[in-house]
Amino acid sequence: SKLATMNDQKAAYQLKANLPLDGRLDLNGELVLQPSLQANGEMSLKALNAAWLWPFVRDRVALSDIKGNVDVSTRYAYDAAKSLRLDAANLTASDLLVARAGQPPTLLAMKRIGMADGQLLLAEKKFTLGTLRIEEGQANAEIDSAGRLDWAGIAKPSAQNKPAPDLQPKPTAMPLQTAWNVAVGKLQVAQVGVLFTDRRPPQAVSFEVADIAFDLGLSLTSGDALQLVADGIGVTLKGLQLKSDGAPKPLATLDSVTLQQGRLNLVERQFTAVSLKAEGGQTSVVRQANGAIELLELLGVGADNKSALKQPAPVTTAGNSSHWNYGVDAVRLGDVLVNLV
């Protein structure tokens, strides 16, 4: 109502739309057309079903299925002469399922992911989030025998997106002028299981955690070098198992591992914690006739063939130090059985 092309003339608007599969979109606020486009108001998106979006993305991803429902709400302010701002942004994704074609188990099955009290200042490249909570589910990842991570192959390569060959000399890359600042007041994970499988030689191994719970505060700054600080880290892991393909029982188990008051600084390459406690479980250390330790061989520790080592690719970070510094005030190990053979 009262829409006009006069300078600073405000008009009220309201939009309501029913989406497929019981979804609903509500928009209301004020609009100014001159001297620059301005809009502010509130937006609510309820019960957005992944099944509705799936036909638009299935040819672009190597997935067999995506399921879930998403609710989003926020206050927004847009000015074409300035930028976009979001306040009181909340998002809840429920009953999520991400499955890879022909490769069980599913990549991700999560009961709920919730984000609350978000703020986006696009002109300042700043995003803050009050809380991010992930709960009740399972996440799986696998590296195949050639060293390819299944999550990295989700997006299908597109011939249309391949750039034409550039025969001109490339100029020296310029540093990023503006870095993004991201902060999460409280990141929480509860009742989540994880299974990681590594099928690279010499033998496939898997690491499973039946139940993960942790919380921390997080700040991140992008730019020429990634800066990341995580504070107040508290972690509890339950039901840990290290397995080898074909082995009748796990190579090692732990009932629980607890970390308290941890702090990670990526720039300073430093990790500290007040305490680390491991309780319950067992493992066997088998020394073979040639002197090799079976468990260490499976993990690639001390292997002659360095290409077979099961270790992640190096991560480039800032700072002059080439090594990490670790400090834990107290380490406790209780009721863990070690069999020496």
Side-chain angles (χ1 to χ4, degrees):
S1 63
K2 298 183 179 180
L3 185 64
T5 56
M6 299 173 59
N7 283 352
D8 301 320
Q9 180 66 45
K10 293 182 179 180
Y13 67 92
Q14 186 177 63
L15 170 66
K16 297 181 180 294
N18 293 321
L19 305 177
L21 304 175
D22 299 322
R24 182 175 177 83
L25 173 66
D26 289 286
L27 282 169
N28 65 84
E30 295 180 332
L31 181 68
V32 174
L33 298 180
Q34 295 292 343
S36 63
L37 179 62
Q38 301 172 38
N40 65 81
E42 298 180 349
M43 185 274 288
S44 173
L45 179 61
K46 295 183 178 180
L48 177 63
N49 196 306
W52 177 51
L53 300 175
W54 176 238
F56 301 102
V57 301
R58 63 185 173 192
D59 293 333
R60 300 175 181 269
V61 294
L63 297 173
S64 61
D65 201 6
I66 297 178
K67 295 180 180 178
N69 289 283
V70 177
D71 296 335
V72 181
S73 65
T74 186
R75 297 196 305 268
Y76 60 90
Y78 172 77
D79 189 328
K82 296 179 181 178
S83 189
L84 174 68
R85 173 174 180 148
L86 302 179
D87 289 288
N90 300 289
L91 181 148
T92 300
S94 56
D95 299 321
L96 296 177
L97 176 70
V98 180
R100 188 106 187 258
Q103 295 188 18
T106 57
L107 294 176
L108 181 73
M110 204 63 57
K111 183 67 175 179
R112 186 177 183 274
I113 298 177
M115 295 183 288
D117 300 324
Q119 182 186 64
L120 171 68
L121 303 177
L122 191 58
E124 301 175 23
K125 294 191 174 182
K126 182 178 180 181
F127 178 71
T128 59
L129 197 59
T131 59
L132 170 58
R133 183 171 174 84
I134 303 169
E135 54 189 344
E136 294 185 49
Q138 177 76 28
N140 303 304
E142 180 176 307
I143 296 178
D144 65 17
S145 58
R148 295 182 294 257
L149 178 65
D150 53 3
W151 279 89
I154 288 179
K156 290 182 179 179
S158 174
Q160 296 179 349
N161 295 333
K162 291 182 179 179
D166 185 5
L167 302 180
Q168 299 296 323
K170 296 182 180 180
T172 303
M174 296 296 291
L176 295 176
Q177 297 299 314
T178 307
W180 271 92
N181 293 292
V182 178
V184 180
K186 181 71 73 174
L187 169 59
Q188 298 175 313
V189 174
Q191 300 179 40
V192 173
V194 171
L195 173 63
F196 174 74
T197 304
D198 188 342
R199 299 195 180 280
R200 290 176 293 177
Q203 187 172 342
V205 296
S206 63
F207 178 68
E208 181 177 3
V209 182
D211 187 353
I212 296 177
F214 72 79
D215 60 85
L216 55 87
L218 183 69
S219 64
L220 181 150
T221 302
S222 66
D224 295 334
L226 179 65
Q227 301 178 40
L228 183 148
V229 176
D231 273 309
I233 302 173
V235 181
T236 299
L237 310 178
K238 295 181 179 179
L240 293 81
Q241 295 190 68
L242 178 65
K243 300 178 181 179
S244 173
D245 257 9
K249 58 182 181 180
L251 300 172
T253 65
L254 280 173
D255 293 345
S256 68
V257 175
T258 304
L259 178 82
Q260 293 182 331
Q261 291 300 309
R263 186 177 192 275
L264 171 70
N265 190 314
L266 192 61
V267 174
E268 298 178 0
R269 294 175 179 259
Q270 185 180 73
F271 178 80
T272 59
V274 171
S275 68
L276 175 64
K277 180 171 63 174
E279 294 182 308
Q282 63 179 358
T283 187
S284 296
V285 179
V286 180
R287 185 180 180 88
Q288 299 172 347
N290 62 0
I293 305 298
E294 183 181 29
L295 180 60
L296 299 184
E297 278 198 330
L298 287 172
L299 298 177
V301 179
D304 293 331
N305 181 7
K306 300 300 181 183
S307 64
L309 291 180
K310 292 178 180 292
Q311 54 182 303
V315 178
T316 302
T317 60
N320 298 323
S321 175
S322 60
H323 64 276
W324 276 81
N325 296 305
Y326 301 93
V328 180
D329 293 345
V331 178
R332 296 181 177 86
L333 184 66
D335 297 325
V336 177
L337 177 64
V338 179
N339 297 313
L340 302 177
V341 181

